[in-house]
Amino acid sequence: MSSKGGGTALTRRNYRLSSDMDKPRATGIVNEKLLSDFLHHVFPSANQGPAVASLRKPLGFQDLGTHLERLLSEGEASEDNRDQPMEGRLGPQPVVLDHTSGFEGLLFVDDDLLGVIGHSNFSSIRATTCVYKGKWAYEVLISSQGLMQIGWCTLNCRFNQEEGVGDTPDSYAYDGNRVRKWNVTTTNYGKSWAAGDIVSCLIDLDEGTITFCLNGQSLGTAFTNIKMGPGVAYFPAISLSFKESVAFNFGSRPLRYPVEGYLPLQNPPTADLLKAHKLLGYIKNVLSISIDIQEERLVEKDCAVWRLHGEPTVLITLAHIFNHFAPLMCKVYLVEDVLMSFLLGILEGGGSVDEHPLIQQLLDLFWLLMEDYEVNECLKQLMMSLLRAYRFSPIIPDLGFQIHYLRLTTAILRHEKSRKYLLNNVLFDVLRSVVFFYIKTPLRVKEAGLEELIPTTWWPTHFDKEGKDEREPRDESADERLRRRAYERGCQRLKKRIEVVEELQVQILRLLLNNKDKTTGEASRYIFLNKFRKFLQENASNRGQHPTALCPPEYMVCFLHRLLTAVRACWDESSRKCPGSISSEDAYVPPQLFYNGKVDYFDLQRLGGLLSHLKKTLKDDLASKANIIIDPAEIQAASMDDLDEDEESGAAQRPFGAAAMGGALARPSWLSSPTLGRANRFLSTAAVSLMTSRRPLTQPEKVKVRTLAVEQRTEDDIEGSHGSDGLLLGRPLEEPDQPVADKSLLEILDGIVMMYNLSVHQQLGKMVVVADDVHEYAVALKDTEEKIARCPARQRPDILEELQKSQKVFAEKLNHLSRRLAWINATIYSKEKMLDVYWLLCVCIRTIEHADNTGSLFAFAPEFYLNVAMNAYSALKNYFSPVNSMEELPGYEETLTQLAAILAKHFADPRIVGTDIKDSLMQALASYVCYPQSLRAVERIPEEQRVAMMRNLLAPYEQRPWAQTNWILVRLWRGCGFGYRYTRLPHLLKTKPEDANLPSLQKPCPSLLLQRHMAELLSMDKDMAASFLNSVLNQLNWAFSEFIGMIQEIQQAAERPERNFVDTRQLKVCATCFDLSVSLLRVLEMTVTLVPEIFLDWSRPSAELLLRRLAQLLNQVLNRVTAEKNLFDRVVNLRLPGLESVDHYPILVAVTGILVRILVDGDRQGVSRAASVLLSDPCFQLHSIQHLLGEGVESSGSSAGVSSTARTVVGSLGSSVTPPIRSAAGNSSERRHFSLHAYTDYISEEEKQKVELMLAFLTEESKQAAASTAPTSEEDLCPICYAHSISAIFRPCSHKSCKACINQHLMNNKDCFFCKATITGVEDYSKPAAS
């Protein structure tokens, strides 16, 4: 810098400008008079007028330095005046946050001491400067809209983790989160703020008032008569809760919304401003004039067409100007106020950025005439100012401000040298540059100008029976149709405006993805690639540890879409130049990227477990299939690293670790005020340990080429050259050798998939809330309007008035929400965004298919590919509809089938070890079979895969999580079972479901094809059938026993006289056990229906045993649920929240379905076997069967003292179901009784007749059995069950039991019941005849 530039040790470039010897060479062929005229034109004196022009002194380069100094010193304040402190203010300049003593709690403070993030419950911090007289202002840029109190406090205020600014007598605050003002007490004040707003805090110490403004609009005087006088001075201060962040502007930059009469706390650099404006004027003069040497005259011309041609006269003149101008351009205030305004002015005329080459010329000039460190600082400050301006500008209808700032950003990034400097040092390291790709959502519709853009609002008013919006209602009135169309036109207008911004954002990314700019070193794309990878690592490794270090998910969504668009455009461009290469339509990530060590996946989980483990166990496969040899020393180092968390040895092995991570993890770029993210002072003694990463990046594996860190990779390492495959090294034989035009795009594509997994999907789900709110308010408004129509106005004017008030509130809310929804649909859920997510889904599917073909190497694939495939499908189905329909997507059915094949194959894939990913796959498949379209997709996959899937579903339940697979089987059956055609249970019809889109609330869609596969598997494989059914019966026994145990506890709690609450978790578990019992019963019904021989063909080894167990469990369930005034009845009658699904209908109908199948629908031999087993079970009670039809109710209702023997025959009185239709028996008692007759909508006549037949048959059989059964002595009964005679003897120990007990026992255990000896054989036993 020059001597006036701020005293740095660096020297300025020494332009030899002024010696007489150089004069002829310097002026070239410009004569002295022409040169003098030129210089006088460029540097006019303040008092220079036309009359003086002839008298002025000739001016040459030798006098120019002195002349310029004199011009710049004109109007400058004297040194004495400049350094005088301003009255009414105390404290140092510049004003910053007091990070040494003026804080309470835990905070991150940025390097510039202006940005702050709360890191504890309620942290407070104040500034270093206070005011005691006059009118002062400062601004706060709101980065997150959470709980904060912003305002003023005195030095005496003492804050803690509960009390902050505004909670003590001499502190005053505004809180836009709760829309209140605070000074010990609190009252409503102002408007709610949102991220991206600017709060101005004004204090008038002459009048004693404090006022706040939001985005330049005054919120009114907040406090009057504040304490003033000797010893009272006010500091700017803030209290903020965990993770909230803001940035202060005390005057280090021009205030965005200055208020007349109020001064910023920090003095503006007035003298420097004056100089900078003068110098800029001189530069403009140079740009607007040229020297015509032939005619020896000066020619006026348009600045816009100026070019840097290397004319010595012009260059030397500019060098003189830049001698003074360059040091000033390192100061943020001047960059923002002078330079940015000038550059924006160049673009003011509109047109494309290419039509304004002057900015490129000026940047060339900057790099030519300024020191490198000056250009660097100037560009850094310029980008930071642009980013702030972009983020904190109001959204007016045409997004004009945002477009303006993005155009200038694009123009700057078009300059190659500037772009590379910014990419290398600023965009990801210092700035939240992802903000450039975000379009903020307006919370306040009015201020965003959406009312002008969408003057007519509309919302759905027609709903089907299940409460869903009808897409094209038939009875839509003409007025509604007009409104809907006007609203849709408004939405289209808004979308077009937003598309302009999106197009500019994509242009910026296209510039960053340029891989042809190699003249000044490494191409931009490879710099971007490494920075992007680090950005991903920061967000992946900090998840859950450092929430403040993460990129906000709403930014990620926008960044993902723009990056995806840019990558696809680059991909298609390069594939056009390289015929035969893969087009973006067929893009996928080749499997070798997952194991060849060229791409870093940090600590992300692989499908087969940890990478270090896979490298050890699969090293032979890597060598044979992919020709990759892993250095044994590296395997050892990796395993040692896993055992030892001490990073010293790790740092030695990875020399790049500490240096590389210094910029990324040690200083996360997201720890930030709105734009800054620098080294972040963490105001706490425990600061440093929290800020360092747990471990640096693991080094890529050694393959047959050199192993390099992310920073050290060159273009050749990525793209490959001279026979090297670059990123595609180690291609397995199964992988087709198809060229990829730009291999670097593969890594970016991989990063996009990772980004979707990190937070994009979660954010897409969050934004659906607005559409849900619109739906809820629309239903409420319609309901209110119907009530108004029914309300008798004369009799009840008070009710009518309240209803009309509600109507007005709902309508206002809907007006607001429908406009906000239009914005969200345009920015997040538009058709284009849907196609992006769909493309990502297809990329993941193709990637998984290719990785799967590599056999054991599939284990190297990262888990997130499977997650993104499942989540992207879920997003397309649930989040983007009903605005856009999935059916309209190209190749939709084929994609659905491919995804079905992936789910069917991998939910039980032994190569996948992670329990979370296995559960996700299982849940995705369970959801998939609930919807007709996706179920048909499962049916379209090849038969071999379908059969394999069913085989996996029928594996014994004990060895795995079984609830989800059981649910899948139930869904395949639902719609075929007895009384099993319902979507919602009868007693829940009147209640509104929480979410009608839940898989469990879909209409039944059974799959006969998959049922057939199940039947074939169970009938062919007898061992599998026996073990599967044994496990189902075991789980049913467990689930129902647990359920009964829990309802006993609930009943006891309800009967206690003192007021008590049943734990909601216990209620939830209880309801889950009931649902499991019902679904297990339905699977048994399905099995009995499809393959009755498993139970009834006693030539099969375990058939009799399974039938006995089935009968035993069915009797237990019936007895528990149907007994008179029983526990089940009482708990159902309590109608506890959480136990809504617990009712008689689902469980009794499931049991009835099984009984009807084995006792009515079977052949004669099977029916008689089933009947004899059922009746021989000691738990069998005929009245339980009679209860199903509500029989015997009347006779028992009249007699109070029914004998115990009669009660076993007569039906139960204890039921609380209120069926939708009155019982056929016409029971007039208050409590109605369960009867299948009541559910005419649910149970067909044919089904009822079968139940009546079954009841008649069992009644007859039980009479005959009672007559023929001879009494058995107790000694002859099985000592285990006391139900059957002893019929088996064990070897070698000779203990005895009935066959049923020992067979059941041997399925799970080989030890004797009594002596624990190992049983080697079981023989038939018959009691010897009495002597």
Side-chain angles (χ1 to χ4, degrees):
M1 284 191 182
S2 67
S3 57
K4 291 195 175 181
T8 165
L10 293 162
T11 57
R12 293 202 45 73
R13 286 196 175 113
N14 184 14
Y15 298 101
R16 299 172 65 212
L17 303 175
S18 54
S19 77
D20 287 333
M21 215 188 316
D22 293 340
K23 189 176 154 192
R25 207 151 28 103
T27 54
I29 45 175
V30 176
N31 65 43
E32 284 185 15
K33 181 181 179 306
L34 191 57
L35 174 65
S36 177
D37 289 347
F38 174 72
L39 292 178
H40 275 296
H41 184 92
V42 172
F43 304 103
S45 298
N47 54 2
Q48 182 178 312
V52 196
S54 56
L55 306 173
R56 67 189 172 199
K57 208 167 80 173
L59 186 59
F61 285 136
Q62 70 272 34
D63 314 315
L64 184 55
T66 323
H67 179 69
L68 190 51
E69 290 275 359
R70 185 170 48 76
L71 287 178
L72 291 176
S73 60
E74 284 173 9
E76 204 174 274
S78 67
E79 293 287 329
D80 299 341
N81 294 350
R82 201 185 314 168
D83 294 335
Q84 275 184 355
M86 293 225 20
E87 195 187 359
R89 183 183 64 199
L90 292 171
Q93 296 278 320
V95 184
V96 292
L97 294 171
D98 187 350
H99 68 292
T100 52
S101 58
F103 69 91
E104 173 62 46
L106 235 55
L107 299 134
F108 283 117
V109 176
D110 282 345
D111 238 13
D112 60 0
L113 301 180
L114 292 173
V116 61
I117 300 176
H119 207 69
S120 60
N121 184 36
F122 203 49
S123 319
S124 304
I125 191 166
R126 64 170 185 259
T128 51
T129 298
C130 60
V131 290
Y132 59 89
K133 184 180 174 185
K135 297 159 85 170
W136 303 92
Y138 71 92
E139 287 181 344
V140 182
L141 286 64
I142 306 289
S143 307
S144 59
Q145 60 206 48
L147 183 63
M148 295 180 275
Q149 291 170 203
I150 300 171
W152 304 85
C153 74
T154 64
L155 197 58
N156 299 328
C157 294
R158 293 287 172 265
F159 304 129
N160 55 41
Q161 294 280 316
E162 300 300 323
E163 292 183 333
V165 182
D167 298 325
T168 59
D170 295 334
S171 62
Y172 304 87
Y174 159 52
D175 169 5
N177 176 260
R178 292 174 288 192
V179 196
R180 305 182 80 78
K181 59 181 179 180
W182 297 81
N183 174 235
V184 183
T185 58
T186 176
T187 50
N188 290 337
Y189 172 79
K191 299 177 186 172
S192 67
W193 59 38
D197 285 344
I198 294 179
V199 175
S200 307
C201 305
L202 316 174
I203 190 166
D204 182 345
L205 288 161
D206 300 331
E207 299 292 329
T209 62
I210 290 176
T211 307
F212 297 95
C213 305
L214 190 63
N215 297 328
Q217 292 188 342
S218 175
L219 302 175
T221 303
F223 302 101
T224 53
N225 301 321
I226 62 171
K227 186 176 176 182
M228 293 190 297
V232 178
Y234 288 94
F235 291 85
I238 184 172
S239 297
L240 64 178
S241 53
F242 183 62
K243 284 193 348 187
E244 303 305 335
S245 59
V246 297
F248 285 84
N249 181 10
F250 298 114
S252 59
R253 301 185 303 277
L255 294 183
R256 177 59 57 86
Y257 300 108
V259 179
E260 196 176 340
Y262 286 83
L263 294 174
L265 261 77
Q266 184 170 323
N267 294 336
T270 320
D272 284 346
L273 261 176
L274 190 65
K275 269 189 193 176
H277 279 299
K278 278 183 185 175
L279 290 162
L280 185 63
Y282 303 151
I283 292 172
K284 286 178 184 173
N285 292 342
V286 173
L287 302 182
S288 62
I289 196 163
S290 65
I291 305 170
D292 189 333
I293 296 167
Q294 273 79 29
E295 298 190 17
E296 294 193 355
R297 65 190 181 93
L298 302 179
V299 183
E300 296 270 348
K301 63 171 185 178
D302 183 7
C303 283
V305 297
W306 186 83
R307 293 287 180 280
L308 180 62
H309 290 310
E311 295 168 24
T313 312
V314 174
L315 275 179
I316 294 170
T317 309
L318 285 167
H320 274 285
I321 298 172
F322 269 85
N323 208 32
H324 297 275
F325 189 62
L328 296 176
M329 286 301 103
C330 296
K331 299 180 179 176
V332 56
Y333 196 108
L334 303 174
V335 168
E336 195 163 312
D337 196 58
V338 180
L339 182 62
M340 190 166 100
S341 305
F342 170 55
L343 295 176
L344 285 168
I346 294 172
L347 294 174
E348 204 89 75
S352 76
V353 177
D354 299 342
E355 293 166 27
H356 300 282
L358 179 58
I359 290 177
Q360 308 297 305
Q361 298 293 317
L362 286 169
L363 287 167
D364 281 340
L365 202 58
F366 276 39
W367 284 101
L368 178 68
L369 298 178
M370 289 167 75
E371 295 289 350
D372 283 352
Y373 70 90
E374 290 172 334
V375 190
N376 294 349
E377 185 62 22
C378 175
L379 283 172
K380 176 177 139 185
Q381 296 298 351
L382 181 57
M383 287 311 278
M384 283 162 64
S385 297
L386 273 173
L387 193 70
R388 258 190 305 267
Y390 173 77
R391 186 174 179 199
F392 291 97
S393 291
I395 304 172
I396 52 173
D398 58 356
L399 291 153
F401 287 127
Q402 281 75 6
I403 290 168
H404 205 34
Y405 298 127
L406 283 174
R407 290 179 73 229
L408 179 52
T409 308
T410 312
I412 293 166
L413 290 173
R414 276 183 187 281
H415 189 263
E416 185 178 319
K417 196 170 181 182
S418 304
R419 173 170 70 245
K420 288 187 181 174
Y421 164 71
L422 290 167
L423 252 179
N424 263 317
N425 303 290
V426 179
L427 288 181
F428 282 92
D429 301 284
V430 178
L431 289 188
R432 276 187 164 188
S433 55
V434 176
V435 174
F436 273 129
F437 310 108
Y438 174 52
I439 303 177
K440 64 180 177 184
T441 307
L443 278 183
R444 292 177 299 277
V445 166
K446 208 169 202 168
E447 287 169 35
L450 287 182
E451 287 183 350
E452 294 83 47
L453 207 57
I454 306 173
T456 311
T457 56
W458 172 87
W459 50 84
T461 51
H462 298 268
F463 310 100
D464 58 20
K465 286 178 188 172
E466 290 170 13
K468 295 180 185 175
D469 307 343
E470 287 184 13
R471 286 199 71 190
E472 289 176 2
R474 293 173 198 145
D475 54 346
E476 186 180 44
S477 68
D479 183 43
E480 281 175 338
R481 192 177 301 112
L482 281 172
R483 269 184 64 203
R484 178 166 59 83
R485 287 177 181 166
Y487 175 70
E488 283 167 358
R489 282 195 300 275
C491 293
Q492 279 305 315
R493 281 195 296 272
L494 174 65
K495 193 174 170 208
K496 282 195 173 73
R497 303 275 166 90
I498 287 169
E499 280 170 355
V500 175
V501 177
E502 291 177 350
E503 180 52 42
L504 280 166
Q505 292 169 333
V506 172
Q507 270 182 40
I508 290 174
L509 278 167
R510 290 289 304 271
L511 289 169
L512 300 184
L513 290 176
N514 184 343
N515 64 340
K516 302 289 185 283
D517 53 351
K518 300 172 190 172
T519 51
T520 53
E522 192 179 12
S524 301
R525 181 181 298 176
Y526 306 107
I527 307 171
F528 174 81
L529 187 57
N530 293 339
K531 295 290 180 185
F532 177 53
R533 208 75 201 170
K534 276 200 176 174
F535 163 79
L536 289 172
Q537 183 194 18
E538 210 171 273
N539 280 277
S541 57
N542 276 325
R543 197 148 292 279
Q545 296 175 33
H546 272 311
T548 46
L550 301 180
C551 171
E554 58 271 26
Y555 295 7
M556 281 276 211
V557 173
C558 294
F559 185 37
L560 177 123
H561 285 298
R562 304 310 167 263
L563 187 56
L564 200 144
T565 309
V567 163
R568 287 196 69 176
C570 293
W571 190 305
D572 288 334
E573 207 173 89
S574 57
S575 66
R576 277 195 295 274
K577 293 174 188 168
C578 177
S581 64
I582 300 171
S583 73
S584 72
E585 276 304 316
D586 304 315
Y588 69 95
V589 178
Q592 53 266 49
L593 257 72
F594 306 142
Y595 55 73
N596 67 14
K598 294 279 186 178
V599 178
D600 193 345
Y601 287 99
F602 333 127
D603 290 333
L604 294 178
Q605 191 74 7
R606 309 299 182 103
L607 291 175
L610 288 172
L611 182 63
S612 53
H613 164 74
L614 291 173
K615 282 200 280 196
K616 278 185 284 188
T617 54
L618 295 176
K619 64 177 187 291
D620 295 340
D621 290 10
L622 279 172
S624 61
K625 290 187 175 188
N627 202 24
I628 287 181
I629 297 165
I630 293 181
D631 184 355
E634 188 165 319
I635 295 177
Q636 190 179 357
S639 54
M640 288 300 291
D641 198 37
D642 288 334
L643 291 170
D644 184 9
E645 286 296 329
D646 180 9
E647 288 305 318
E648 288 177 20
S649 60
Q653 289 165 16
R654 313 183 190 87
F656 68 94
M661 297 316 298
L665 279 186
R667 313 187 308 171
S669 64
W670 293 100
L671 288 174
S672 87
S673 66
T675 50
L676 304 170
R678 290 51 54 201
N680 298 292
R681 299 160 205 250
F682 185 10
L683 301 184
S684 159
T685 48
V688 183
S689 62
L690 282 173
M691 288 296 298
T692 51
S693 60
R694 192 179 69 80
R695 60 198 305 145
L697 291 161
T698 52
Q699 191 173 5
E701 304 88 29
K702 286 188 173 62
V703 286
K704 286 193 170 179
V705 292
R706 56 202 170 130
T707 303
L708 289 175
V710 171
E711 290 79 0
Q712 295 168 313
R713 294 187 309 176
T714 63
E715 182 185 337
D716 287 350
D717 295 314
I718 294 168
E719 299 291 0
S721 63
H722 313 301
S724 149
D725 285 333
L727 285 181
L728 298 184
L729 176 95
R731 181 174 63 84
L733 297 171
E734 299 86 354
E735 179 64 15
D737 187 11
Q738 198 172 359
V740 177
D742 276 345
K743 297 188 181 78
S744 51
L745 294 175
L746 289 174
E747 190 173 337
I748 298 177
L749 176 57
D750 175 77
I752 292 173
V753 178
M754 194 190 296
M755 243 164 79
Y756 186 90
N757 186 57
L758 286 176
S759 60
V760 172
H761 180 72
Q762 173 194 0
Q763 182 64 16
L764 287 177
K766 268 189 200 168
M767 298 310 287
V768 177
V769 172
V770 179
D772 293 344
D773 287 350
V774 168
H775 175 83
E776 279 183 28
Y777 277 107
V779 172
L781 180 63
K782 192 173 184 188
D783 186 42
T784 308
E785 285 170 347
E786 285 170 1
K787 284 177 181 169
I788 288 173
R790 294 199 303 269
C791 180
R794 287 183 183 175
Q795 290 90 328
R796 297 307 303 266
D798 51 336
I799 291 179
L800 186 65
E801 190 184 344
E802 285 301 316
L803 284 170
Q804 284 166 342
K805 274 185 194 169
S806 301
Q807 182 189 24
K808 190 181 174 190
V809 169
F810 292 149
E812 277 176 12
K813 194 76 181 168
L814 277 165
N815 278 326
H816 170 88
L817 283 171
S818 61
R819 289 188 175 106
R820 194 152 173 247
L821 183 63
W823 182 279
I824 288 168
N825 282 341
T827 52
I828 296 173
Y829 299 122
S830 68
K831 180 77 175 175
E832 293 72 24
K833 311 292 184 297
M834 188 180 193
L835 286 165
D836 283 352
V837 176
Y838 180 61
W839 183 72
L840 212 53
L841 166 65
C842 297
V843 165
C844 289
I845 288 174
R846 284 190 288 269
T847 302
I848 294 161
E849 287 174 346
H850 281 265
D852 180 33
N853 293 337
T854 61
S856 59
L857 299 184
F858 180 58
F860 281 98
E863 280 186 358
F864 65 78
Y865 274 92
L866 273 172
N867 276 325
V868 172
M870 294 182 283
N871 288 337
Y873 167 70
S874 164
L876 291 168
K877 186 162 68 66
N878 299 321
Y879 303 157
F880 285 89
S881 60
V883 183
N884 298 299
S885 170
M886 226 184 139
E887 288 81 18
E888 295 162 12
L889 294 169
Y892 158 72
E893 290 205 345
E894 188 189 341
T895 306
L896 223 56
T897 309
Q898 288 174 309
L899 183 57
I902 285 171
L903 296 176
K905 179 169 186 180
H906 298 302
F907 84 92
D909 190 336
R911 294 172 296 180
I912 299 176
V913 299
T915 50
D916 288 348
I917 189 73
K918 280 182 164 179
D919 284 351
S920 299
L921 284 162
M922 194 88 79
Q923 285 169 14
L925 184 60
S927 168
Y928 223 69
V929 297
C930 291
Y931 300 88
Q933 285 169 320
S934 44
L935 179 61
R936 300 299 160 246
V938 177
E939 292 178 342
R940 284 196 300 270
I941 66 177
E943 183 172 353
E944 186 187 341
Q945 290 182 9
R946 289 197 306 267
V947 173
M949 176 186 85
M950 293 309 295
R951 189 182 294 281
N952 285 325
L953 288 174
L954 297 174
Y957 282 5
E958 278 85 4
Q959 293 131 32
R960 62 196 177 86
W962 55 271
Q964 283 291 355
T965 52
N966 192 75
W967 166 242
I968 294 169
L969 292 173
V970 169
R971 286 300 315 195
L972 300 179
W973 177 244
R974 190 170 182 174
C976 295
F978 182 92
Y980 201 35
R981 291 168 292 280
Y982 56 81
T983 304
R984 297 190 68 210
L985 288 167
H987 68 289
L988 294 179
L989 275 182
K990 289 179 183 175
T991 60
K992 183 174 175 280
E994 283 181 22
D995 182 3
N997 291 321
L998 285 173
S1000 56
L1001 294 177
Q1002 302 312 304
K1003 290 176 181 169
C1005 52
S1007 170
L1008 300 177
L1009 177 65
L1010 296 175
Q1011 286 177 26
R1012 195 182 78 222
H1013 290 322
M1014 177 177 167
E1016 287 165 359
L1017 283 167
L1018 290 176
S1019 56
M1020 303 278 288
D1021 192 335
K1022 295 180 180 179
D1023 292 340
M1024 183 180 80
S1027 59
F1028 167 68
L1029 283 165
N1030 184 51
S1031 67
V1032 172
L1033 292 165
N1034 284 345
Q1035 300 302 348
L1036 176 59
N1037 187 19
W1038 167 82
F1040 192 70
S1041 304
E1042 284 289 310
F1043 168 68
I1044 293 298
M1046 284 185 175
I1047 62 173
Q1048 281 172 345
E1049 289 175 24
I1050 291 166
Q1051 175 64 22
Q1052 285 163 8
E1055 284 176 350
R1056 288 190 201 119
E1058 70 273 13
R1059 182 166 183 190
N1060 52 64
F1061 299 94
V1062 182
D1063 180 20
T1064 51
R1065 190 172 166 276
Q1066 188 182 6
L1067 292 173
K1068 196 173 178 184
V1069 173
C1070 178
T1072 304
C1073 286
F1074 179 78
D1075 293 340
L1076 285 175
S1077 304
V1078 173
S1079 63
L1080 287 161
L1081 282 165
R1082 286 296 182 182
V1083 168
L1084 287 169
E1085 180 194 18
M1086 180 184 185
T1087 314
V1088 166
T1089 308
L1090 297 173
V1091 206
E1093 62 268 24
I1094 292 181
F1095 294 96
L1096 303 176
D1097 177 5
W1098 284 9
S1099 62
R1100 292 172 78 109
S1102 51
E1104 184 184 353
L1105 166 66
L1106 289 171
L1107 185 60
R1108 289 191 187 284
R1109 288 197 64 196
L1110 178 67
Q1112 184 185 14
L1113 279 165
L1114 293 180
N1115 283 326
Q1116 288 286 353
V1117 172
L1118 277 172
N1119 294 344
R1120 290 283 190 177
V1121 177
T1122 62
E1124 184 183 350
K1125 293 182 182 172
N1126 68 8
L1127 182 64
F1128 186 85
D1129 271 350
R1130 291 201 294 274
V1131 169
V1132 167
N1133 286 333
L1134 289 173
R1135 289 288 173 221
L1136 296 170
L1139 290 186
E1140 292 88 356
S1141 63
V1142 178
D1143 193 68
H1144 294 74
Y1145 181 84
I1147 196 158
L1148 288 180
V1149 174
V1151 171
T1152 309
I1154 300 171
L1155 291 173
V1156 164
R1157 184 67 194 84
I1158 58 175
L1159 294 171
V1160 179
D1161 293 343
D1163 58 24
R1164 185 178 297 175
Q1165 186 185 21
V1167 168
S1168 85
R1169 280 177 181 163
S1172 68
V1173 168
L1174 193 69
L1175 294 170
S1176 65
D1177 188 82
C1179 300
F1180 175 74
Q1181 295 180 0
L1182 189 61
H1183 83 81
S1184 297
I1185 310 290
Q1186 292 168 332
H1187 181 97
L1188 298 173
L1189 293 169
E1191 290 192 8
V1193 168
E1194 290 83 352
S1195 60
S1196 65
S1198 55
S1199 61
V1202 181
S1203 69
S1204 59
T1205 50
R1207 197 176 290 125
T1208 57
V1209 183
V1210 177
S1212 158
L1213 286 168
S1215 173
S1216 67
V1217 169
T1218 308
I1221 294 171
R1222 272 189 76 83
S1223 166
N1227 185 0
S1228 60
S1229 66
E1230 277 182 37
R1231 298 174 67 210
R1232 295 177 181 174
H1233 304 276
F1234 179 84
S1235 168
L1236 293 177
H1237 290 302
Y1239 298 93
T1240 50
D1241 288 352
Y1242 286 76
I1243 295 169
S1244 67
E1245 276 303 317
E1246 185 190 352
E1247 285 172 334
K1248 276 188 226 158
Q1249 286 167 8
K1250 285 185 178 178
V1251 179
E1252 286 163 1
L1253 277 172
M1254 177 182 77
L1255 180 57
F1257 172 67
L1258 283 177
T1259 309
E1260 187 58 38
E1261 287 289 312
S1262 61
K1263 283 178 187 171
Q1264 290 178 16
S1268 62
T1269 305
T1272 311
S1273 76
E1274 203 169 299
E1275 290 174 7
D1276 296 337
L1277 287 174
C1278 166
I1280 303 298
C1281 64
Y1282 286 96
H1284 308 291
S1285 300
I1286 292 173
S1287 55
I1289 184 166
F1290 319 154
R1291 294 286 180 245
C1293 61
S1294 301
H1295 286 114
K1296 307 179 190 74
S1297 78
C1298 66
K1299 275 187 185 172
C1301 286
I1302 187 58
N1303 286 347
Q1304 182 178 338
H1305 179 67
L1306 287 175
M1307 290 187 91
N1308 303 304
N1309 197 331
K1310 302 295 181 200
D1311 295 343
C1312 172
F1313 287 117
F1314 306 102
C1315 64
K1316 302 299 178 193
T1318 302
I1319 298 172
T1320 56
V1322 177
E1323 296 171 6
D1324 289 348
Y1325 172 80
S1326 54
K1327 188 179 176 186
S1331 56

